[in-house]
Amino acid sequence: MSDEQAAAQDIDEQKLQDMVAETDTGARSPSGLPKQILWVVPLIWSVYQVYVSSPLVLEFTPWMNEDVVKRFHLMFSIFLAFLAYPAFKRSPRSYIPTIDWVLAAVAVLSILYLVVLKDELAQRPGAPTSMDVYTSVIGVVLLLEATRRALGPPLMIVAMVFLVYTFAGPHMPDVIAHKGASLNKGASHYWLSTEGVFGVAIGVSATMVYLFVLFGALLEKAGAGNYLIRVAFALMGHMSGGPAKAAVVSSAMTGMISGSSIANVVTTGTFTIPLMKRVGFSAEKAGAVEVASSTNGQLTPPIMGAAAFLMVEYVGIPLVDVIKHAFLPAVISYIALVYIVHLEAQKAGMKGLPRIHKMGAKGKMIGFLSIAILSGFLVYALPPLMELIKSMAGDATGWVVAVLLFGAYVVLLWYASLFPDLETSHEINELPEIGPTVKVGLHYILPVVVLIWLLTVERLSPGTSAFWATVFMGFVVITQKPLIALFRGQGGKEAEKIREGLSDLVDGMISGGRNMIGIGVATATAGVIVGTVTLTGIGQVMTEFVEFISAGSLILMLLFTAVISLILGMGLPTTANYIVVSSLMAPVIVTLGAENGLIIPLIAAHMFVFYFGILADDTPPVGLAAFAAAAISGGDPIRTGIQGFAYDIRTAILPFLFIFNTQLLMIGVEDWIDLTLTISSAVIAMLVFAAGTQGFFIVRSKLWETAALLLVAFTLFRPGYWMDMVYPPLQAVSATNIYEIAGNMTDGSQIRIEVKGESLEGKEVQKIIMLPMGSVATGEERLASAGLELRNDDGRMIIDNIVFGSVAEKQKLDFDWEILSVYSKTERPPKQLWFIPAVVLLGGIIMMQRRRRSAAKMA
């Protein structure tokens, strides 16, 4: 590389880092004391977050409860937002103006006011003093300004719209009008209570998200990001369109440790995009592959752009279940993207990068057996071994496990020391050798295994699991370099390497703190929207409004929700977009689904919103990830975004499918046969769908073949659609059978009933609702547990009582309404029978396209 090329590359890399800074960590880079403050405060914040997640907090600071932690969390993030992010594009970057220091200080004081006077505030709930109101107004205003700086105007504007709606309720149009709120009530709700700014969202950010982001920052600082990229290239770089396939795989893996689409593009794209262009991809397509790969990195558990932890609170299920539900859609989405890349390469006749180090059959067999043995040990041998250790060690189990973990870590480091260190340059001139590349970083897997083990097997809370994984990750960062130097016989360098490790640890903790600024203020500001929903009852208004404009059609309502998510997502970070749209629309999806006779689990509705929020990251004209990729590729950012969105169609189709086929979320999967059918059919369906949308399968597809491929994909994804036409899934029976049907239902199922009555407004209402059936009991007792008591009035089942606060009351039922009918499941063949004609049709297309390919080769 010439000096001019090196200089140009340095300039480009600086631009990319500036882009990431502007969106993720703060664009200001002062010198002197301000620089030290921007260095020390994120470090203190990280240390504080680790401390409050540790068992030590209960021992030494029992007063530091969750509410205090939330307030300190926002205090750090809002202080750093004013110092790290300039007010305007023309504002100085090289120093911090006095006004920003003043705003940061006042913001901190408005939060400390809540901490210092927490006992007094607790004694006057709903009756704030003048000083309480002044402090609340100042705090909310400064929070909105900090949000504008860190995340741009959109989230601030959305929050302001909701604030206006709160205080101007009586003056709104009749369809959305409400009685409004006074300034005192608004101040108490938004700032002084835990219903607004300091609600669930920022609580999740403070207790879960921070440690996972810090864990990812330390993993990246240790070198895991570079390791994952090199491994992906070593495994896939030689294939047709290999660099693009490596881009997809590396982005999926780095997505597990990064919650930012733009950072993911910059991290992996600097490696992958130039190589994609080298093998034949255009600048726009190379950038688009990276954009689609990086934005979908947020689908990959366990981090999922922080939304996974919010789902835990909003849906009320463990993180393990969120990961389980998110796993299959994420996997099939990435498999499909690899296949799309393969089809693009086949259409253009692309080759991969030349492989200098070729692995023989023996090496492949050893590699396969090694993976199989390791996986088998983790899944089948390790759990009973841990149970044995617990039974023998008792209270000392933690120390025994720590010693064994340390031993495994030392062995893996010794093994890594036998191979040369990985290169860190962004230019890959030849594919790395598979064996040494994989072996040199096996110790990075240990902290990830610890994290997943604590979450899934030990069933510890996400915060506690992340705490121990982060502590172990910090130990790895400090010790890996000196231990490798020791094993390689580089005597005298241990002290120097320890200093390097400590420096890496500090840098990683600072990076984790800077990465959390935007998330901290975003979750706090999103609390304003959530607070408005609880204060004004706009959720019910939204249900009625959406039902009106969609004319009761579930598909139209889903399209409406998807469009809202995409529009908001163009300006909001994924986490904030998810909070806003899920607060408003997720309950609407569930409610309208019930009225259409469809049971939609709440997690499916939340995943639907989340997926479309992610897609907004590459949706033109904003699509910041597309601009980052275009800066690397030299292509047009708008065309890059459009092409990336075209690649992401496979992701856009998934949310609609798992709303109607919840087995894609691993819901309702009964046994291993069912699981195997679900996974295999979903993977094949997504591959066929990708081929259909690309217009290329084995050879270029004819128009009718494309239509047939899409039909096959739809059938494999949702076989129940065709089965419902032949055998209706439900049958209406007399309402007098309601007790018998309710008594025979399985635990946790829902009963569908059709009701008719008059609303409080005098309107005639007839709708289908669903009520959950609790544990085994009589039908009458089960209905009573859902809040519904009936009487038989000459063969007519009439609602005699509605329990206040019950599920039935929330369904807007009322006294003296009539139960018209009850729906019970019909006996019918398994819906998977429709796989047979789909597979036959697919086989026919394969045969015809193979013949055309053979004929073309012979011609």
Side-chain angles (χ1 to χ4, degrees):
M1 182 185 296
S2 66
D3 293 341
E4 292 81 2
Q5 288 176 319
Q9 183 177 352
D10 290 340
I11 293 172
D12 290 342
E13 289 182 11
Q14 185 59 48
K15 287 181 180 179
L16 291 170
Q17 295 305 322
D18 290 344
M19 182 179 292
V20 174
E22 287 179 8
T23 55
D24 284 346
T25 61
R28 191 171 271 153
S29 181
S31 58
L33 181 60
K35 179 179 181 180
Q36 298 301 316
I37 291 175
L38 282 177
W39 186 87
V40 170
V41 174
L43 177 61
I44 295 174
W45 191 11
S46 291
V47 172
Y48 167 77
Q49 292 287 166
V50 172
Y51 168 73
V52 297
S53 301
S54 72
L56 297 176
V57 68
L58 296 176
E59 185 73 24
F60 297 105
T61 51
W63 56 271
M64 199 169 285
N65 56 32
E66 185 178 347
D67 290 339
V68 174
V69 170
K70 287 191 283 190
R71 284 159 182 164
F72 274 114
H73 183 78
L74 180 58
M75 185 182 72
F76 277 110
S77 59
I78 201 171
F79 178 79
L80 288 169
F82 279 112
L83 298 189
Y85 290 89
F88 305 102
K89 287 188 176 180
R90 297 186 302 273
S91 299
R93 263 66 169 165
S94 58
Y95 68 93
I96 302 174
T98 304
I99 183 64
D100 288 355
W101 287 107
V102 172
L103 293 175
V106 173
V108 168
L109 290 174
S110 66
I111 298 172
L112 284 177
Y113 180 88
L114 304 178
V115 177
V116 175
L117 299 180
K118 60 180 173 51
D119 294 333
E120 289 86 342
L121 291 170
Q123 293 173 3
R124 51 175 188 265
T129 63
S130 298
M131 183 57 71
D132 294 344
V133 175
Y134 296 149
T135 303
S136 301
V137 171
I138 291 170
V140 171
V141 169
L142 290 179
L143 172 62
L144 293 177
E145 168 59 12
T147 302
R148 183 193 68 81
R149 292 182 179 216
L151 304 168
L155 181 56
M156 179 199 71
I157 293 172
V158 171
M160 290 178 65
V161 168
F162 277 82
L163 286 172
V164 170
Y165 176 75
T166 297
F167 295 112
H171 309 291
M172 291 287 155
D174 290 342
V175 69
I176 59 171
H178 63 97
K179 65 181 181 179
S182 65
L183 185 60
N184 282 7
K185 186 175 182 180
S188 296
H189 194 79
Y190 287 119
W191 192 257
L192 302 179
S193 74
T194 56
E195 295 291 327
V197 170
F198 299 101
V200 170
I202 197 169
V204 171
S205 178
T207 56
M208 300 184 202
V209 176
Y210 196 105
L211 282 180
F212 277 85
V213 171
L214 180 58
F215 176 78
L218 292 176
L219 201 57
E220 174 67 31
K221 198 65 185 177
N226 181 56
Y227 170 70
L228 295 174
I229 292 170
R230 302 279 170 176
V231 168
F233 270 96
L235 293 173
M236 308 189 72
H238 66 290
M239 298 178 180
S240 176
K245 294 174 181 175
V248 176
V249 174
S250 60
S251 292
M253 292 190 292
T254 55
M256 292 190 291
I257 61 175
S258 168
S260 168
S261 300
I262 299 169
N264 206 351
V265 167
V266 172
T267 300
T268 59
T270 48
F271 289 88
T272 60
I273 291 175
L275 291 173
M276 281 190 266
K277 292 174 66 178
R278 187 192 300 179
V279 297
F281 281 87
S282 67
E284 283 75 21
K285 286 191 175 182
V289 170
E290 185 57 50
V291 167
S293 306
S294 296
T295 53
N296 284 189
Q298 293 184 73
L299 301 177
T300 313
I303 294 182
M304 294 171 61
F309 312 105
L310 289 161
M311 288 182 196
V312 169
E313 296 297 324
Y314 288 157
V315 183
I317 60 176
L319 180 61
V320 175
D321 289 346
V322 174
I323 292 172
K324 180 183 75 174
H325 298 318
F327 178 75
L328 181 57
V331 169
I332 62 177
S333 178
Y334 269 108
I335 289 174
L337 186 53
V338 171
Y339 187 58
I340 287 173
V341 167
H342 174 75
L343 294 176
E344 289 279 15
Q346 290 295 305
K347 283 190 285 186
M350 298 179 193
K351 304 295 182 181
L353 295 175
R355 177 173 290 260
I356 298 175
H357 311 283
K358 294 188 177 181
M359 180 179 287
K362 181 180 178 181
K364 292 178 181 179
M365 182 61 69
I366 292 174
F368 175 78
L369 289 176
S370 300
I371 295 173
I373 291 170
L374 179 61
S375 301
F377 173 76
L378 292 175
V379 174
Y380 298 107
L382 193 55
L385 179 61
M386 286 296 300
E387 291 300 320
L388 178 62
I389 292 173
K390 289 177 184 178
S391 64
M392 296 178 63
D395 294 338
T397 298
W399 292 106
V400 174
V401 171
V403 170
L404 293 175
L405 191 62
F406 176 74
Y409 169 62
V410 170
V411 170
L412 289 177
L413 275 184
W414 167 80
Y415 193 48
S417 70
L418 302 178
F419 306 97
D421 292 333
L422 297 176
E423 294 183 14
T424 57
S425 68
H426 289 167
E427 187 173 359
I428 300 178
N429 294 314
E430 64 179 51
L431 291 180
E433 192 175 355
I434 294 177
T437 303
V438 171
K439 295 168 185 174
V440 78
L442 289 175
H443 59 285
Y444 295 131
I445 299 174
L446 272 183
V448 178
V449 170
V450 169
L451 176 61
I452 295 175
W453 179 271
L454 294 176
L455 282 171
T456 59
V457 180
E458 300 298 331
R459 295 289 179 133
L460 299 183
S461 69
T464 304
S465 302
F467 166 75
W468 290 113
T470 302
V471 169
F472 183 38
M473 193 65 240
F475 176 76
V476 170
V477 171
I478 295 172
T479 59
Q480 62 170 346
K481 289 182 179 179
L483 284 176
I484 288 178
L486 179 65
F487 292 137
R488 287 177 176 168
Q490 299 171 342
K493 288 191 175 183
E494 290 83 357
E496 176 188 344
K497 296 296 183 180
I498 289 176
R499 286 193 295 271
E500 287 183 21
L502 289 170
S503 177
D504 288 342
L505 176 65
V506 170
D507 289 345
M509 297 188 79
I510 293 171
S511 177
R514 295 288 290 259
N515 289 338
M516 278 299 300
I517 298 173
I519 296 176
V521 295
T523 50
T525 305
V528 173
I529 290 99
V530 176
T532 301
V533 174
T534 59
L535 183 60
T536 64
I538 191 178
Q540 179 60 32
V541 173
M542 283 296 298
T543 301
E544 295 171 357
F545 177 69
V546 172
E547 185 175 11
F548 171 74
I549 64 173
S550 64
S553 169
L554 183 59
I555 288 292
L556 288 179
M557 187 270 298
L558 291 173
L559 288 171
F560 179 72
T561 304
V563 170
I564 289 177
S565 298
L566 286 173
I567 292 173
L568 286 176
M570 291 181 192
L572 304 188
T574 305
T575 304
N577 182 19
Y578 164 72
I579 295 170
V580 173
V581 184
S582 66
S583 300
L584 293 173
M585 301 303 297
V588 180
I589 293 174
V590 174
T591 301
L592 288 187
E595 292 182 4
N596 282 267
L598 180 67
I599 298 176
I600 300 178
L602 189 56
I603 182 65
H606 280 256
M607 289 284 288
F608 182 93
V609 170
F610 175 57
Y611 264 59
F612 280 101
I614 287 174
L615 288 174
D617 275 354
D618 59 14
T619 304
V622 180
L624 294 178
F627 279 84
I632 301 171
S633 69
D636 179 81
I638 300 299
R639 283 190 288 173
T640 299
I642 293 172
Q643 185 65 59
F645 190 77
Y647 289 151
D648 265 341
I649 289 176
R650 86 221 182 276
T651 304
I653 200 70
L654 274 174
F656 288 96
L657 293 168
F658 59 57
I659 286 289
F660 293 97
N661 182 9
T662 55
Q663 284 187 319
L664 294 174
L665 299 177
M666 299 293 191
I667 297 174
V669 177
E670 297 176 355
D671 49 38
W672 282 102
I673 297 176
D674 203 7
L675 176 65
T676 303
L677 275 175
T678 298
I679 294 175
S680 58
S681 63
V683 171
I684 295 171
M686 186 54 80
L687 296 179
V688 172
F689 178 79
T693 54
Q694 289 296 303
F696 191 96
F697 191 21
I698 297 171
V699 293
R700 192 169 297 278
S701 300
K702 297 178 180 179
L703 187 60
W704 74 266
E705 289 176 331
T706 295
L709 288 172
L710 294 177
L711 178 63
V712 169
F714 178 78
T715 304
L716 292 175
F717 269 130
R718 199 186 164 203
Y721 178 82
W722 306 112
M723 187 61 74
D724 291 348
M725 290 184 174
V726 181
Y727 294 94
L730 301 171
Q731 60 181 353
V733 298
S734 172
T736 55
N737 297 319
I738 188 169
Y739 292 141
E740 178 185 353
I741 293 173
N744 292 331
M745 296 184 74
T746 57
D747 289 0
S749 57
Q750 299 193 66
I751 189 171
R752 292 177 178 86
I753 58 177
E754 186 174 6
V755 297
K756 179 181 179 182
E758 189 175 288
S759 68
L760 294 175
E761 294 79 19
K763 296 180 181 178
E764 191 74 21
V765 177
Q766 183 171 335
K767 61 182 181 179
I768 296 174
I769 66 160
M770 291 188 291
L771 297 175
M773 296 291 96
S775 57
V776 177
T778 65
E780 191 170 357
E781 290 171 339
R782 281 182 154 181
L783 290 169
S785 68
L788 191 64
E789 297 177 11
L790 307 175
R791 70 174 187 272
N792 192 325
D793 190 355
D794 293 330
R796 297 168 63 234
M797 300 303 293
I798 307 297
I799 297 178
D800 196 42
N801 184 37
I802 300 288
V803 178
F804 178 75
S806 66
V807 177
E809 194 257 346
K810 292 177 181 177
Q811 294 276 15
K812 303 299 179 182
L813 300 179
D814 210 341
F815 299 100
D816 295 329
W817 282 25
E818 182 182 357
I819 309 297
L820 296 178
S821 57
V822 186
Y823 289 85
S824 64
K825 288 186 177 181
T826 58
E827 293 187 8
R828 61 178 189 169
K831 61 184 179 181
Q832 288 81 3
L833 287 176
W834 284 96
F835 289 168
I836 297 173
V839 170
V840 170
L841 177 57
L842 179 61
I845 296 172
I846 291 173
M847 289 176 61
M848 284 184 283
Q849 292 210 356
R850 278 186 169 176
R851 286 174 187 165
R852 292 214 304 275
R853 185 179 65 179
S854 299
K857 286 181 179 179
M858 294 175 64

